[in-house]
Amino acid sequence: MEHRPGARSAILQRIPPGAIRSAILIAILAVLLIAVSGCTTWVRGPDLAREYYNIGNAFYDLGRFDRAVDYYRRALALDRTLAAASFNLARVYADQGRFPDAIDVLLELIVRDPESVLLRETLAFVYFLQGDVERAETRYREVLALSPFHVNALYNLGRIERKRERYAESAEFFRRAVQAQPADAELLFAYADALNRVDPERSAPIFERYLDTSPTDRTRLLAAGDALRTGRFFSPARRAYRKVLDQRPDDAAGLFGMAVVFLVGIEESEAGLDFLERALDAGFTDNAELSLLVESVPSWDQAAVRRQLEQRGVMPSLEPPADPTSVEDAAGP
């Protein structure tokens, strides 16, 4: 199970700095170290703690977690009330896989600030990283008790329920997240995908709303197209596959999806056979999907579809349809 990237789980993710950013941070770090070493005799404890905290942040951004931990601890030794240092220390522990240490720090912070949504959300995510889904769920529900439309908590609870194959419950969490952010492509897809497992007809308009956001993720677009064509919503399925092919004109799965749309849904033989040929050229070889296509195409297109498959040797064991007259002859009078 994955938690949503970006805003959904950025609390514990670090973006590796580029060369320019690294150079700037190193320069800042050097200045801070010189300043601190020269001023320790007269700088007040809280002020020095803040300087140590800034140095810890610089090391954190450079990915030097051991040094970051060292300076966050120095900051806290001088000022135990510096919550930002404690929070960042928990982040470093989580990045290092030291989940019990991160949890201890976060629990201490929550005692001092029990109404903090951020702290409870972070704690929930650390529990999830540790593999303790039950405690993660409990903490996410605490977040919702404080903030009923907290998108991160709703999204992650939806993912937890989806992992359990409780799709109706999962869809409900995603629905509430979409209420909070109705134009979010990722949320719309998650909602439609979960809802499709329990009510494909109701999921179709949600998939269409997802397509209206101009998404670019190939995996999700293909999943949306496949769900829509399976539910026989061929027009929006065509939109989904078209978005895939606009990015990758030789995408085998996208081309095959379009072939099914044209051959089975729209019943435009020439276009459908062309897409099928292009899909086979691109390497499409899913026998289950090809068999289903043969079974689903109108009778007047079956011979042409079979011919394409036989010429490519994609399904050499595919048997031609039985001739009713030959069966009658074999049975005798």
Side-chain angles (χ1 to χ4, degrees), residues 25-256:
L25 286 171
I26 291 170
I28 293 173
L29 189 60
V31 171
L32 287 171
L33 286 169
I34 292 171
V36 170
S37 63
C39 300
T40 53
T41 58
W42 57 269
V43 175
R44 295 186 310 116
D47 293 333
L48 184 57
R50 174 64 61 174
E51 295 303 324
Y52 283 144
Y53 165 73
N54 290 333
I55 294 171
N57 288 344
F59 276 123
Y60 178 82
D61 286 338
L62 290 170
R64 299 178 64 179
F65 296 146
D66 289 338
R67 297 302 304 276
V69 167
D70 179 37
Y71 277 93
Y72 289 143
R73 284 176 171 169
R74 291 189 191 189
L76 291 169
L78 292 170
D79 184 1
R80 291 298 303 173
T81 68
L82 189 56
S86 293
F87 181 75
N88 283 2
L89 180 62
R91 292 200 310 169
V92 176
Y93 284 150
D95 280 327
Q96 292 178 317
R98 296 170 60 180
F99 303 126
D101 291 333
I103 289 167
D104 287 344
V105 173
L106 289 167
L107 288 172
E108 181 182 336
L109 287 171
I110 289 172
V111 169
R112 288 153 53 185
D113 187 4
E115 300 301 312
S116 173
V117 172
L118 175 62
L119 291 175
R120 291 182 184 278
E121 179 194 0
T122 306
L123 179 59
F125 189 63
V126 174
Y127 275 129
F128 171 77
L129 291 175
Q130 187 178 235
D132 193 340
V133 176
E134 299 299 328
R135 281 196 173 90
E137 178 186 7
T138 298
R139 294 297 180 171
Y140 279 128
R141 290 185 182 275
E142 290 177 359
V143 171
L144 292 185
L146 295 169
S147 180
F149 287 95
H150 192 283
V151 174
N152 291 9
L154 290 167
Y155 177 85
N156 289 333
L157 283 168
R159 293 303 299 262
I160 287 171
E161 294 291 17
R162 190 181 189 284
K163 180 68 173 178
R164 294 168 174 165
E165 299 184 358
R166 296 173 56 179
Y167 298 112
E169 292 82 356
S170 175
E172 176 58 18
F173 281 120
F174 291 138
R175 183 192 65 78
R176 291 168 59 188
V178 167
Q179 273 189 292
Q181 294 186 5
D184 188 300
E186 186 176 5
L187 293 177
L188 284 165
F189 176 82
Y191 177 30
D193 186 54
L195 189 58
N196 183 61
R197 306 300 183 103
V198 293
D199 194 339
E201 187 169 348
R202 285 179 55 212
S203 73
I206 310 302
F207 275 123
E208 291 195 71
R209 286 175 58 188
Y210 163 70
L211 295 175
D212 289 340
T213 66
S214 302
T216 58
D217 185 278
R218 172 185 178 270
T219 301
R220 290 183 183 135
L221 284 169
L222 286 173
D226 291 347
L228 287 163
R229 72 172 166 87
T230 299
R232 303 190 68 81
F233 299 100
F234 292 109
S235 181
R238 179 180 178 181
R239 285 182 62 202
Y241 295 130
R242 174 47 60 196
K243 288 178 180 293
V244 172
L245 296 178
D246 284 344
Q247 299 177 71
R248 296 172 53 177
D250 60 345
D251 189 288
L255 289 166
F256 179 78

